[in-house]
Amino acid sequence: MKGVMEIIPEAGNHKEMEMANDNLVIAGREFSSRLMVGTGKYATFEQMARAIELSGAEIVTVAVRRVNILDRSKESLLDHLDLKKYTLLPNTAGCYTADDAVRTCRLAREAGLSDFVKLEVLADEKTLFPDNEELLKAAAILVKEGFTVLPYTTDDPVTCRKLEALGCAAVMPLGAPIGSGLGIRNPSNIRIILETVKVPVIVDAGVGTASDAAIAMELGCHGVLMNTAIAGAGDPLAMAEAMNLAVRAGRLAYLAGRIPRKLYATASSPIDGVIE
């Protein structure tokens, strides 16, 4: 399989140069990739590590509750990640109360993982929608305790504004339910969120294929986080590379600026001066 750098031509114009210097900044930390990936659902740890490499991601999220972080004598997915290369983003997947989520973040920090956390407080097991009331409670506590908080939330502009006001470093609205692969179901709300907050907006959940990731970036989102779309694909390695390309293409298209939508045709070739 060709590597991504073999497929993407070297920067040759001002937009490509702009893209090359267009880093994602979260709480003062810079990342060249705008794709964040998870570590679950892979057939093997080796497949996971290779997929993450092909994705080009620099931020890798890990479910604290699903990793044995206390007994490092046993094999763990952390053994297969170069922690000098990747920034770990511990997440609170499986937490249904603010207290539980806060406790999980504290455990991650005490175990030496990170204080850079993805905060999830879920409402129920069937939909896996966020419980925004509990999410806001947990975010307030964690920000005061010095955590860099990236909260997974609904695509509600009001909640996103409240999370920013609490001091969250980004907001992560869902595109669709976790693992659904439905893509961005409400692009209008995502646009409003982008106008409402000044912190980075990262679409989290619902991406199913490369076009979904590209659409998120074309809307102006600052990044995309995904797991199932890659790990659950027929060929996770090929999909990881596809997502790498899609996020980069979508961002470049956003920077370039699309043409206006029109009801009727506009000739590509001007007719002025045509010989009759």
Side-chain angles (χ1 to χ4, degrees):
M1 185 185 300
K2 285 189 175 182
V4 170
M5 295 311 295
E6 295 179 79
I7 299 172
I8 297 294
E10 293 184 4
N13 59 49
H14 70 286
K15 279 300 177 187
E16 288 173 338
M17 291 301 295
E18 185 176 358
M19 179 74 167
N21 299 316
D22 180 46
N23 288 340
L24 170 64
V25 181
I26 301 176
R29 303 171 70 170
E30 291 194 23
F31 304 93
S32 59
S33 174
R34 293 177 177 271
L35 175 60
M36 306 177 187
V37 295
T39 51
K41 302 184 178 181
Y42 287 97
T44 65
F45 287 141
E46 290 75 19
Q47 184 187 63
M48 173 202 74
R50 180 61 178 149
I52 292 172
E53 180 183 6
L54 287 169
S55 77
E58 295 169 281
I59 298 176
V60 178
T61 186
V62 177
V64 177
R65 289 184 151 210
R66 296 171 187 151
V67 176
N68 190 341
I69 58 178
L70 299 178
D71 184 1
R72 295 305 304 276
S73 65
K74 297 180 180 178
E75 186 180 26
S76 162
L77 64 85
L78 297 177
D79 299 325
H80 298 265
L81 294 174
D82 183 351
L83 300 185
K84 294 180 181 179
K85 180 179 180 181
Y86 300 113
T87 296
L88 283 185
L89 182 65
N91 71 61
T92 60
C95 293
Y96 291 86
T97 67
D99 289 344
D100 203 8
V102 169
R103 190 181 309 112
T104 301
C105 288
R106 289 170 178 164
L107 176 62
R109 180 162 65 182
E110 290 169 7
L113 291 185
S114 182
D115 58 5
F116 189 62
V117 296
K118 176 189 170 187
L119 177 62
E120 297 183 29
V121 187
L122 304 177
D124 62 81
E125 294 183 6
K126 183 175 182 180
T127 67
L128 299 181
F129 283 143
D131 182 330
N132 287 338
E133 183 178 358
E134 291 293 296
L135 179 70
L136 289 165
K137 287 167 56 178
I141 295 169
L142 292 169
V143 168
K144 287 181 180 178
E145 294 186 3
F147 285 89
T148 300
V149 181
L150 283 67
Y152 162 67
T153 181
T154 56
D155 56 355
D156 172 26
V158 175
T159 299
C160 288
R161 186 174 66 234
K162 290 179 178 180
L163 288 164
E164 179 185 37
L166 288 174
C168 291
V171 292
M172 305 180 78
L174 55 80
I178 292 174
S180 68
L182 290 171
I184 297 177
R185 306 313 298 164
N186 198 342
S188 297
N189 271 28
I190 299 296
R191 288 193 180 98
I192 295 172
I193 291 169
L194 286 163
E195 294 177 0
T196 300
V197 302
K198 293 183 173 62
V199 294
V201 176
I202 300 162
V203 166
D204 178 11
V207 169
T209 191
S211 57
D212 298 332
I215 288 170
M217 300 308 298
E218 289 171 7
L219 286 171
C221 293
H222 302 86
V224 181
L225 190 152
M226 66 184 72
N227 184 181
T228 306
I230 296 176
D235 184 341
L237 302 187
M239 186 61 80
E241 191 162 9
M243 291 300 187
N244 186 336
L245 295 169
V247 168
R248 295 170 67 182
R251 179 64 179 177
L252 186 54
Y254 170 75
L255 293 175
R258 65 159 291 135
I259 63 172
R261 290 182 172 88
K262 298 179 181 179
L263 182 61
Y264 296 104
T266 301
S268 299
S269 301
I271 60 174
D272 294 342
V274 172
I275 299 174
E276 297 183 5

